[in-house]
Amino acid sequence: MNKSTLAVAVVVLAGAGYVGANYYVNEQVKQEITKQIENFEQDSGLEVKFANSSVDLFTRGVEISDLTISETEQGKRLFTIDKLNVLGYQQDKISPYSELELVGLKLTEEAAELTQGMSKDLVGATYQLKTSLAYNESSGASEFKFVTAADGILKTSFDAAFDNSKAFMEASLAGLQAQDDTQSLEKELQLQSQMMLAMQSLELKSMSFNINNDGNLAQLLDAELAQQGMSKVDFEAMVAQQLMYSPMPQELKDAIIGFVSGMESLSISVTVPQSQNIMALGQQLSMAMAQNPETLSELIKINASGK
């Protein structure tokens, strides 16, 4: 066998091995998806159907397409989802990076009957959602991101970074693993207590929140205000009056007023210079806001803008 023939044989065998492994993993994934859907259906009383699922060995990514969520008893379709993408999730550990994305979430016409009083634009919109978690096990640092969009209306994003999150991750993993077993009431209470303590030990490093107009946000607000018999001027005056008596920093008040007036964008970011757990930080912030709001700048740094 010459070298070129050998090279071709290696490539063919490698490809065959990948295809075989990918098929095996796909079958395992389908079994796990079926199991998780059954658990969801039992807990929610809803029925979930999907057309296809696939997995990528290299990225540990799973894609589920053409999902339909319906009421179990009446069979009424509630939501459709074009794609659900899952990346990096592992059953036995918290992955260094994991992500879940919903693409093309829509409310069905049958379900629209249940939304009387809600904006027709919001009811008829197509939604996108992506959430991710980055986690460094050795340092205990973690970052959570949550991004949503109502196409043609608005986009939002939320980002929070923490230190000392190892206990919280371990408690979260224990809670997820416990879902597969029948737990006694005592065990459930222990897990809940463990989770609460772990949450309190988290140390907030930074947090940010953004809203951006994606086209028709101003028109949507005008329509909602009209239904309540209010004008945009009345609404702006009401917000300004409520903020006047709020203990929040003036920069944040100005940003909110600017956003309410322009309906284009609102951006708020917070950093915590001194590491301390969330419970201690919350207590100090509550005391500062009640007694001396000017000292808030010693605890957190706020940057805000709105237009």
Side-chain angles (χ1 to χ4, degrees), residues 196 199-202 276-285:
M196 289 297 297
M199 289 180 65
Q200 294 171 6
S201 68
L202 285 169
Q276 53 185 322
N277 64 56
I278 288 181
M279 175 170 283
L281 178 62
Q283 291 174 344
Q284 292 184 51
L285 289 174

Side-chain angles (χ1 to χ4, degrees), residues 12 14 18 23 33 35 54 59 62 66 73 81 86 117 122 130 141 156 161 194 197 203 220 248 260 270 292:
V12 171
Y18 174 77
Y23 174 80
I33 290 172
K35 174 184 171 184
S54 61
T59 64
V62 178
D66 298 328
E73 294 183 358
I81 303 172
V86 182
L122 290 177
K130 180 185 289 186
T156 70
Q194 181 183 357
L197 290 173
E203 297 177 0
L220 173 64
M248 69 176 59
V260 169
V270 176
N292 188 3

Side-chain angles (χ1 to χ4, degrees), residues 245-265:
Y245 301 102
S246 170
M248 69 176 59
Q250 189 61 43
E251 181 179 0
L252 187 53
K253 293 181 182 180
D254 292 342
I256 294 174
I257 291 174
F259 173 63
V260 169
S261 176
M263 279 289 128
E264 286 299 323
S265 64

Side-chain angles (χ1 to χ4, degrees), residues 15 18 29 50-51 59 90 98 103 121 142 165 172 180 184 200 217-218 237 245 250 255 284 286 292 305:
Y18 174 77
V29 167
F50 63 93
T59 64
Q90 300 182 50
S98 54
V103 179
D121 290 333
S142 61
S165 58
S172 300
D180 295 333
S184 64
Q200 294 171 6
L217 181 58
Y245 301 102
Q250 189 61 43
Q284 292 184 51
S286 297
N292 188 3
S305 63

Side-chain angles (χ1 to χ4, degrees), residues 18-286:
Y18 174 77
V19 171
N22 201 50
Y23 174 80
Y24 174 73
V25 174
N26 262 294
E27 291 303 309
Q28 286 188 316
V29 167
K30 289 179 180 178
Q31 293 177 14
E32 182 62 26
I33 290 172
T34 300
K35 174 184 171 184
Q36 294 299 329
I37 287 178
E38 289 175 350
N39 291 338
F40 172 79
E41 290 176 336
Q42 291 176 1
D43 294 339
S44 66
L46 300 175
E47 181 182 25
V48 180
K49 294 182 179 180
F50 63 93
N52 298 293
S53 65
S54 61
V55 63
D56 189 314
L57 285 175
F58 293 119
T59 64
R60 301 181 65 88
V62 178
E63 179 181 290
I64 307 173
S65 59
D66 298 328
L67 291 96
T68 302
I69 300 175
S70 311
E71 290 182 342
T72 302
E73 294 183 358
Q74 299 180 0
K76 180 182 292 185
R77 296 164 67 249
L78 301 178
F79 300 98
T80 61
I81 303 172
D82 293 338
K83 290 182 182 179
L84 189 157
N85 297 317
V86 182
L87 179 67
Y89 284 88
Q90 300 182 50
Q91 291 180 313
D92 57 348
K93 64 176 293 187
I94 300 296
S95 173
Y97 181 81
S98 54
E99 179 181 286
L100 183 147
E101 180 180 23
L102 293 179
V103 179
L105 171 65
K106 299 178 183 177
L107 193 68
T108 65
E109 293 183 2
E110 299 98 303
E113 301 173 359
L114 308 174
T115 60
Q116 294 183 358
M118 290 182 60
S119 163
K120 292 183 178 179
D121 290 333
L122 290 177
V123 171
T126 299
Y127 292 87
Q128 321 295 334
L129 179 151
K130 180 185 289 186
T131 178
S132 66
L133 173 66
Y135 173 54
N136 187 320
E137 185 176 6
S138 60
S139 68
S142 61
E143 183 174 15
F144 171 77
K145 294 184 178 182
F146 184 67
V147 180
T148 64
D151 291 348
I153 301 176
L154 79 161
K155 295 180 180 179
T156 70
S157 64
F158 174 80
D159 188 326
F162 301 92
D163 276 333
N164 197 36
S165 58
K166 189 170 184 179
F168 176 76
M169 294 301 170
E170 291 175 347
S172 300
L173 181 61
L176 290 172
Q177 293 174 335
Q179 293 179 357
D180 295 333
D181 303 320
T182 302
Q183 300 292 322
S184 64
L185 178 59
E186 181 180 2
K187 182 65 175 179
E188 290 181 4
L189 292 175
Q190 288 177 350
L191 288 172
Q192 292 176 8
S193 177
Q194 181 183 357
M195 178 63 75
M196 289 297 297
L197 290 173
M199 289 180 65
Q200 294 171 6
S201 68
L202 285 169
E203 297 177 0
L204 178 65
K205 292 169 55 182
S206 63
M207 182 170 58
S208 65
F209 174 71
N210 295 277
I211 301 177
N212 289 284
N213 188 343
D214 194 40
N216 296 322
L217 181 58
Q219 293 88 330
L220 173 64
L221 177 63
D222 289 341
E224 291 298 302
L225 291 175
Q227 287 188 354
Q228 299 178 33
M230 293 180 65
S231 68
K232 179 74 179 305
V233 174
D234 295 334
F235 179 64
E236 291 177 15
M238 181 186 70
V239 172
Q241 184 177 24
Q242 291 179 347
L243 290 175
M244 184 182 301
Y245 301 102
S246 170
M248 69 176 59
Q250 189 61 43
E251 181 179 0
L252 187 53
K253 293 181 182 180
D254 292 342
I256 294 174
I257 291 174
F259 173 63
V260 169
S261 176
M263 279 289 128
E264 286 299 323
S265 64
L266 175 65
S267 177
I268 302 171
S269 64
V270 176
T271 56
V272 183
Q274 183 179 355
S275 296
Q276 53 185 322
N277 64 56
I278 288 181
M279 175 170 283
L281 178 62
Q283 291 174 344
Q284 292 184 51
L285 289 174
S286 297

